[in-house]
Amino acid sequence: NFPVIAIDGPTASGKGTVASLLAEKLGFHYLDSGALYRLVALASEKQGIDVKNGPELGLLVPKLLILFKNSQIFLNGEDVTDAIRTENIGLRASTLAVHPEVRTALVGLQRSFRQPPGLVADGRDMASVIFPDAVLKVFLTATAIARAERRYKQLIAKGISAKLFDLLQDLQERDARDSSRGTAPLLVADGAKVLETSDLSIDQAVKTVLDWYQS
Ligand code: C5P
């Protein structure tokens, strides 16, 4: 089996940036598993499916035509790269991610990203559920305020208006839901190394993980 580096952590911890840069450096594939939950959120919203309806959401997953192409994401042929990044879709994704039917329906799709020469997978349960045999498991985290500031800067850079306080509240709400849910709560997996990135630059974080992988 090809090597997997699992990078889990809370929302806006920088794991997406670190994981994709790491994948690039190693020439590995990259799985943004959060994007899959966001795609289910967007598709179900368009189809008017209730976020509380686990069984129906689970049935929707195999019907979705998902394509990751370079840094673009397509859903049923439509470019949804930006549409899945809104705060509303993020909240909806975290709400429907509690359903075991949704999580189970996404397992096979996530594992299919494991291709030669290897994979860097980012999410919440990469190390615990999807790739328990990952060669390296990292739990990437940062304080809530550091994460809110990062998200704020990202949004502003994209020309999207945002309020720091609202972002902080939103991510604390999402943390609470992600860590308290019965199915696949956000936890540091057995054998995972914790990387606190509040005071690290992106390059420093990438280098640390790369050193762990190569040592
Ligand atoms: O990481 P991102 O913010 O894109 O993820 C959106 C939501 O999807 C998260 O708040 C989380 O609830 C859910 N998620 C999950 N398991 C994953 C990845 C994301 O439950 N592996």
Side-chain angles (χ1 to χ4, degrees), residues 103-115:
R103 308 202 70 85
T104 306
L106 286 170
V107 170
L109 178 59
Q110 293 175 87
R111 292 195 177 139
S112 72
F113 281 77
R114 187 178 203 161
Q115 300 284 340

Side-chain angles (χ1 to χ4, degrees), residues 11 15 33-35 37-38 85 90 93-94 97 103 110 123-126 174 178 181:
T11 194
K15 63 188 159 46
S33 65
Y37 288 89
R38 287 169 180 269
R85 295 297 161 196
S94 93
R103 308 202 70 85
Q110 293 175 87
R124 304 291 191 289
D125 59 348
M126 297 298 99
R174 212 179 313 172
D178 284 356
R181 66 179 168 220

Side-chain angles (χ1 to χ4, degrees), residues 14-65:
K15 63 188 159 46
T17 311
V18 171
S20 62
L21 284 171
L22 193 65
E24 209 176 289
K25 276 192 192 299
L26 291 166
F28 280 14
H29 296 274
Y30 167 55
L31 166 62
D32 172 3
S33 65
L36 300 178
Y37 288 89
R38 287 169 180 269
L39 286 164
V40 179
L42 183 68
S44 62
E45 188 181 62
K46 283 189 177 172
Q47 298 194 17
I49 301 174
D50 189 342
V51 274
K52 294 194 200 80
N53 193 338
E56 207 180 329
L57 290 162
L59 290 173
L60 171 70
V61 172
K63 295 185 199 148
L64 303 178
L65 196 65

Side-chain angles (χ1 to χ4, degrees), residues 41-112:
L42 183 68
S44 62
E45 188 181 62
K46 283 189 177 172
Q47 298 194 17
I49 301 174
D50 189 342
V51 274
K52 294 194 200 80
N53 193 338
E56 207 180 329
L57 290 162
L59 290 173
L60 171 70
V61 172
K63 295 185 199 148
L64 303 178
L65 196 65
I66 295 169
L67 177 69
F68 288 83
K69 201 174 159 198
N70 304 323
S71 47
Q72 282 173 299
I73 302 174
F74 295 85
L75 174 65
N76 301 327
E78 189 191 336
D79 183 348
V80 294
T81 317
D82 293 331
I84 61 164
R85 295 297 161 196
T86 65
E87 291 303 305
N88 165 47
I89 289 298
L91 276 176
R92 190 176 164 89
S94 93
T95 309
L96 57 78
V98 302
H99 301 299
E101 294 90 343
V102 174
R103 308 202 70 85
T104 306
L106 286 170
V107 170
L109 178 59
Q110 293 175 87
R111 292 195 177 139
S112 72

